[in-house]
Amino acid sequence: MTTGEPGQPRTDRSPWNWLLVVPIVLPLLTFLFNADEPRLLGFPLFYWLQMAFIVVGVVTTTIVYRMTK
Amino acid sequence: MSGHTTELVVFIVLFLIVSGMGFVASRWRRPDDLASLNEWGLGGRSFGSWITWFLIGGDLYTAYTFVAVPALVFSSGALGFYALPYTVVVYPLVFLVLARMWSVSHVHGFVTPADFVRARFGSPTLALVIAITGLVATMPYIALQLVGIEAVLKAMGITGHLPIIIAFAILAAYTYQSGLRAPALIAFVKDALIYIVILAAVIYIPSRLGGWDSIFDAAKAKFDASPAQNDGYILNANNQLQYITLAFGSALALFLYPHSLTGVLASKNRNVIKRNMSALPAYSLVLGLIALLGFMAIAAGTKPVTANGKADTNTIVPVLFDQMFPDWFTGVAYAAVGIGALVPAAIMSIAAANLFTRNIYREYLNKNATDAQEANVSKLVSLVVKVGAVLCILLLDPQFSIDLQLIGGVIILQTLPSVALGLYTRWFHKGGLIAGWAAGLGAGMWMLYLIPNPANGKAHFGGSAFPLANLGFDTKMTVYAGFLALAVNLVVAVLGTVIFKAVKVADGEDATARDDYFVDEGDPKVKDLDLTGSH
């Protein structure tokens, strides 16, 4: 994305960047995870779902990194 | 001290090995000499993905985090878990911002956020304000690393300040000699130790406590029985907004700290930064598990160390380790926390020293400073900063450092419009930014002043949860004070800019060009330039 041909102004704009909004907003929606049940391996929802959001964060930033490299 | 001999020996041996590495680091990836800020303060700006990952991780996840986050979970429950969403949100949030910062800094030779502000808004005053804000916010953060080491020492039954002084003297000596190369090299060991300890902790401790189910049930039982309003093993109606704004506000603040930028600027190209933004969340997983040590301590019936009749909850994790692990492994765990304090303390003192050198010494005291003079001043200031941090711990109640760090988080947020938004837009007027900074700072201090802490009987600066009832709302909800202060800052900065532009007050000149924000390694523009172009 930032390689840019001669004469073309460089930029870091890309529609892929919008994907970054997902991991920014998702972990802040407390109503999604503020509960005990269902438990997973003994972890209440509050704890395991928020840990699962780490994976969402890694996957989305990796996609954006690869698509805009 | 008896009963802790094995732990102490393991701790001291590991600590000394790491200190040795700190001194050797000056010869690692060795340049011709270390007599410039690029080399001493930024490791030659040549670090690749791996080193950067360890360096930034070592920088953001500090000994204090390992000690304080589980302590907060231990005493408040779910609210303390904010540290997890905070570190999930932060990386996508700064993914593009930091790449821009890298580019513009490499075109113009910036070392600090204030350098950037100086050139972008053509205002030495605004730059000075940003530099001082960074210095004030960083100092107590360094002192907190000492609180982290102290918690471990206390758990080993060691009181008195001499061990802390020795540890920091060693740290000061190798940082002086090796600069950023020292924490970069040590960060490998620190992380290896921490990963080993945490893996062992989350597998072994639950097995001894009857599994995760019973750990969470014990936490639930404790908080159900507690009369306090803001605790609970999941959030309640009153503290959800606090949880969201604290996580988001902390994420916004994280990369405004001068020391986080040090790690970013030391990387060799934009891709190293972007790749790291997707790889750094591996630490978040560790942080989440560390936070849960607080619940394990509840289930295990751990009691914090009590001194002078006051329980120090910061000792909860060290005491839990002591209770659960064999002595030699407890020693390893303590060393992980102790070394975990050294890496960030070194980077923070380097960042603070760079701020002083670039934005005060060079700007106001010696305009024609040579590279060697700059490096020398930074080395000396890094020593002064560490002595200051030790004095904070020796002369003041450590609780005071914790309060100052809380304030530090609120005030560093006030640099967001100039530093982070400045990377995207030159719309703001320098006068508007200064007015916004002042208003945000005032509002933040006022809110923190109004927050009491019933737990330790303090009337002011007792936390960051600002009750909305103070603003006349009929609710028990609280919100992160820093978040509200930033909102005030932004509103004033926008209004100020509109007014200053309307009455045509002269604005500074922008020394950066649009293309500067996108250049990458190998580009002819990427070289050290002089800031004097911005006059």
Side-chain angles (χ1 to χ4, degrees), chain B residues 338-389:
Chain B
I339 296 163
L342 299 184
V343 175
I347 305 171
M348 288 169 193
S349 67
I350 289 169
N354 290 348
L355 272 176
F356 178 83
T357 306
R358 297 281 295 200
N359 308 109
I360 295 174
Y361 170 75
R362 188 179 142 136
E363 184 80 51
Y364 294 97
L365 301 175
N366 181 3
K367 281 216 184 281
N368 302 313
T370 63
D371 279 359
Q373 278 174 323
E374 279 194 357
N376 269 332
V377 171
S378 263
K379 286 164 118 178
L380 285 174
V381 175
S382 85
L383 291 183
V384 173
V385 166
K386 285 189 210 80
V387 172

Side-chain angles (χ1 to χ4, degrees), chain B residues 107-109 362 528-534:
Chain B
V107 172
H108 292 271
R362 188 179 142 136
D528 293 337
L529 291 186
D530 205 87
L531 263 184
T532 44
S534 60

Side-chain angles (χ1 to χ4, degrees), chain A residues 14 16-20 59-69, chain B residues 95-96 274:
Chain A
S14 160
W16 286 103
N17 292 341
W18 287 102
L19 210 52
L20 296 171
V59 170
T60 45
T61 42
T62 306
I63 293 173
V64 176
Y65 164 68
R66 299 220 170 250
M67 300 313 289
T68 61
K69 197 154 61 163
Chain B
F95 184 84
L96 293 167
K274 287 188 169 183

